[in-house]
Amino acid sequence: MQIITDPAEMQATAEKMRLQHQFTGVVMTMGALHEGHLNLVRMAREKAGTVIMTIFVNPKQFGPNEDFHRYPRPFEQDAALARSAGIDYLFAPQAELVYPEACTTTIDPGPIATRFEGACRPGHFSGVATVVVKLLGITRPHFAVFGEKDAQQLAVIRRVVADLNIGVSILGAPITRERDGLATSSRNIYLSSDERQQASVLYRAILHAEEAVTSGRRDLETIAAETETLIRAEPDAVPDYLCFVNDSTFETSSLATPGNAYRLVMAVQIGTTRLIDNWRFECR
Ligand code: AMP
């Protein structure tokens, strides 16, 4: 595995691979690698001859009161994990080289970026879209794998890549979960042991919704309200939002109709840690 920190060197290497007709995939991360990231790598490894991983804690997607400075950055450990997962190139640039002073362009993904995560975290998806387009330009892959854990992010990236004719396939990978169902996340380490136990309520909420839908119910608004009550029963859990949405537009849906796909999306504050999760289903 080759570690590259200079965007110009990464881009030149990627160009060379293109000329040699190497089929390449990229997995973009902010580091603090865990099983969820490694499953994205496995998916990329199955399809690509060359797999690039990026590790970049993107300042532009954090709000002023968010955890940019305390976000974990265990680089040596990440590099070892990336190497053993079969990564060919690890691209880990410094922010100054990704955003030199002259760089003023930002991407506005439109309405989908204003809802839910976008409403709670103003500017977040503009920061995500801008860095993803830059990293695609630097790494020049044929495809990129993103996790369904960040389902709205995945939908925003699909929108941006289609709207800007970027010509890279965007693949979604299923959510990796811990034994009790909590979605694996770099932020789970912020939870105290008591909060960690309470955090499993996100998955229990999903199971409740799944059971309701599987039993034939279509009243999504009521199911969401029940699910929210279940979450609020935990002493330190406060939902930011919890809602069923249309799976491609992320518009709120109160009733499921056959032939459409929906997603239950939620963000829940557990103490000072904010967790997100989601569950998708197709109404038959
Ligand atoms: P992050 O490092 O948190 O920005 O995540 C990098 C990529 O890994 C994103 O595409 C995430 O959606 C994905 N990811 C993170 N956690 C998980 C998980 N538990 N299951 C699936 N994908 C994940």
Side-chain angles (χ1 to χ4, degrees):
M1 183 181 82
Q2 192 179 334
I3 298 177
I4 299 180
T5 57
D6 178 11
E9 185 188 346
M10 183 69 249
Q11 194 161 7
T13 306
E15 287 295 345
K16 211 185 311 171
M17 291 192 287
R18 278 261 167 182
L19 290 173
Q20 292 166 349
H21 302 290
Q22 289 186 42
F23 190 64
T24 62
V26 69
V27 174
M28 297 181 188
T29 79
M30 298 202 298
L33 300 181
H34 52 64
E35 203 51 30
H37 298 118
L38 299 180
N39 281 334
L40 307 196
V41 174
R42 287 179 192 115
M43 190 173 197
R45 237 335 1 135
E46 273 176 23
K47 297 176 196 300
T50 305
V51 181
I52 303 170
M53 173 181 275
T54 67
I55 294 186
F56 181 57
V57 185
N58 174 32
K60 291 209 188 293
Q61 70 188 67
F62 287 78
N65 299 319
E66 293 183 4
D67 56 346
F68 175 69
H69 291 291
R70 74 164 178 155
Y71 199 85
R73 291 166 171 85
F75 185 74
E76 296 306 321
Q77 187 184 313
D78 285 348
L81 279 171
R83 185 175 286 111
S84 59
I87 293 295
D88 298 292
Y89 293 93
L90 179 60
F91 177 53
Q94 292 297 316
E96 300 75 46
L97 291 182
V98 176
Y99 300 112
E101 252 174 53
C103 169
T104 54
T105 303
T106 54
I107 291 175
D108 174 2
I112 191 171
T114 63
R115 308 186 177 114
F116 304 104
E117 284 304 285
C120 295
R121 306 178 67 187
H124 172 67
F125 284 127
S126 173
V128 168
T130 304
V131 82
V132 167
V133 169
K134 282 175 74 76
L135 291 173
L136 289 176
I138 293 168
T139 58
R140 306 275 282 111
H142 294 89
F143 70 87
V145 186
F146 293 91
E148 287 206 37
K149 156 84 170 23
D150 299 276
Q152 193 178 3
Q153 168 175 284
L154 176 58
V156 165
I157 291 166
R158 286 193 199 283
R159 184 74 273 139
V160 167
V161 164
D163 291 354
L164 300 182
N165 307 87
I166 291 178
V168 174
S169 303
I170 302 299
L171 310 179
I175 301 176
T176 301
R177 298 182 178 281
E178 309 278 331
R179 281 165 67 122
D180 64 353
L182 177 66
T184 312
S185 165
S186 311
R187 290 188 167 103
N188 292 351
I189 58 162
Y190 299 153
L191 298 164
S192 69
S193 65
D194 179 38
E195 289 169 346
R196 174 63 190 79
Q197 281 192 350
Q198 295 183 44
S200 69
V201 75
L202 277 78
Y203 187 60
R204 284 185 272 123
I206 286 175
L207 292 180
H208 173 82
E210 185 173 4
E211 202 175 293
V213 168
T214 310
S215 76
R217 285 177 58 187
R218 300 288 174 255
D219 51 336
L220 301 182
E221 204 173 331
T222 319
I223 299 171
E226 292 162 9
T227 308
E228 182 162 345
T229 306
L230 208 150
I231 289 178
R232 285 190 189 278
E234 294 295 335
D236 300 313
V238 182
D240 266 356
Y241 61 80
L242 186 150
C243 195
F244 280 93
V245 297
N246 173 299
D247 188 37
S248 40
T249 62
F250 274 70
E251 281 169 319
T252 303
S253 301
S254 50
L255 203 68
T257 51
N260 294 310
Y262 301 91
R263 204 179 279 271
L264 174 65
V265 292
M266 62 178 88
V268 180
Q269 199 79 39
I270 308 264
T272 56
T273 308
R274 190 169 178 281
L275 302 174
I276 59 171
D277 207 337
N278 68 88
W279 170 66
R280 178 186 188 278
F281 77 97
E282 279 165 35
C283 182
R284 291 175 208 286

